[in-house]
């Protein structure tokens, strides 16, 4: 399935699963993305560009809950992410990246930008979910997690470049989990429950008092 076709499918599934109230076309253009990449000296993979230029997330709740699989023991868990809506214009991309980089600037000993410049934040929950562009093949790239507070000692490679805890081997997998709900059928079999929008809302209300 081509990137654009997959993204169309993912958003349609998100809509069908009631997380998205309507499908609103994205405003951001490929030209704006290219200018942003040039300004910040980064390069987005093709799948993420398709994601940015397809639909908005503005009609989605601030947070979305999904089922994710632990790569070590294959356990399926419920996780929430605050997804960043980056689809109005390039100023959304700029604000998102600058806010993320302020974390490094606030350190007593600031980290050199060369160590983290290829991390791009796409969501937040007790830390940042980022695209690790250092491992991009041009088509897709891993999604990594950086815990809030700078507890990242184990996330640097031999060259001192910051990566993070790998959550998925690629962005497509994250969309399959959260947008398409690909793990829901297996979770239902293992736990003898029905997984739907109401199931997730009940979980949120049980675990987040202020929701």
């Amino acid at each position: 399935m081509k990137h654009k076709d997959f993204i169309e499918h993912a958003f349609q599934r998100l809509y069908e699963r009631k997380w998205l109230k309507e499908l609103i076309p994205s405003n951001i253009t490929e030209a704006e993305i290219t200018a942003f990449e040039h300004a910040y000296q980064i390069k987005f993979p093709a799948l993420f560009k398709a994601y940015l230029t397809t639909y908005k997330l503005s009609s989605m709740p601030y947070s979305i809950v999904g089922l994710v699989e632990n790569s070590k023991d294959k356990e399926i868990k419920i996780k929430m992410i605050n997804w960043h809506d980056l689809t109005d214009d390039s100023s959304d991309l700029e604000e998102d990246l600058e806010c993320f980089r302020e974390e490094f600037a606030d350190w007593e000993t600031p980290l050199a930008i060369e160590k983290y410049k290829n991390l791009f934040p796409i969501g937040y929950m007790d830390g940042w979910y980022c695209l690790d562009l250092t491992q991009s093949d041009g088509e897709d790239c891993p999604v990594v997690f950086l815990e809030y507070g700078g507890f990242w000692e184990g996330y640097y490679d031999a060259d001192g470049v910051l990566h993070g805890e790998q959550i998925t081997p690629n962005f497509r997998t994250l969309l399959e989990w959260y947008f398409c709900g690909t793990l829901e059928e297996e979770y239902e079999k293992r736990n003898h429950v029905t997984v739907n929008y109401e199931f997730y809302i009940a979980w949120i209300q049980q675990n987040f008092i202020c929701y």
Side-chain angles (χ1 to χ4, degrees), residues 45-197:
L47 182 68
F48 188 65
K49 290 182 181 180
Y51 165 80
L52 290 175
T53 55
T54 303
Y55 293 112
K56 290 176 172 290
L57 293 179
S58 55
S59 70
M60 185 177 78
Y62 182 57
S63 301
I64 182 173
V65 183
L67 295 171
V68 305
E69 186 175 62
N70 186 299
S71 60
K72 296 180 180 179
D73 57 18
K74 301 302 180 181
E75 181 182 1
I76 299 176
K77 297 182 177 180
I78 306 173
K79 292 280 189 178
M80 177 187 285
I81 294 182
N82 296 335
W83 284 77
H84 297 169
D85 186 9
L86 306 168
T87 55
D88 198 22
D89 57 42
S90 60
S91 66
D92 288 337
L93 298 173
E94 295 169 5
E95 182 179 351
D96 186 56
L97 187 57
E98 291 294 345
C99 181
F100 171 67
R101 290 183 173 182
E102 284 178 7
E103 168 76 8
F104 303 95
D106 288 341
W107 288 8
E108 183 175 346
T109 304
L111 188 65
I113 193 171
E114 288 77 14
K115 305 297 184 182
Y116 61 84
K117 68 178 182 179
N118 280 311
L119 291 174
F120 185 83
I122 58 173
Y124 187 90
M125 181 53 67
D126 298 325
W128 287 272
Y129 287 82
C130 299
L131 300 179
D132 187 354
L133 301 176
T134 60
Q135 301 184 66
S136 172
D137 61 4
E139 301 299 319
D140 205 348
C141 68
V143 177
V144 299
F145 176 75
L146 291 170
E147 181 181 359
Y148 176 76
F151 305 108
W152 305 333
E153 287 76 8
Y155 296 148
Y156 295 93
D157 63 20
D159 296 320
V161 175
L162 182 63
H163 295 283
E165 175 189 358
Q166 183 169 301
I167 301 301
T168 64
N170 49 57
F171 181 56
R172 179 175 180 136
T173 298
L174 196 72
L175 293 178
E176 289 174 343
W177 287 351
Y178 281 92
F179 283 38
C180 303
T182 54
L183 296 175
E184 291 178 349
E185 184 176 351
E186 181 62 28
Y187 187 87
E188 289 179 332
K189 291 179 180 178
R190 294 185 189 183
N191 297 278
H192 309 289
V193 297
T194 298
V195 178
N196 51 28
Y197 182 74

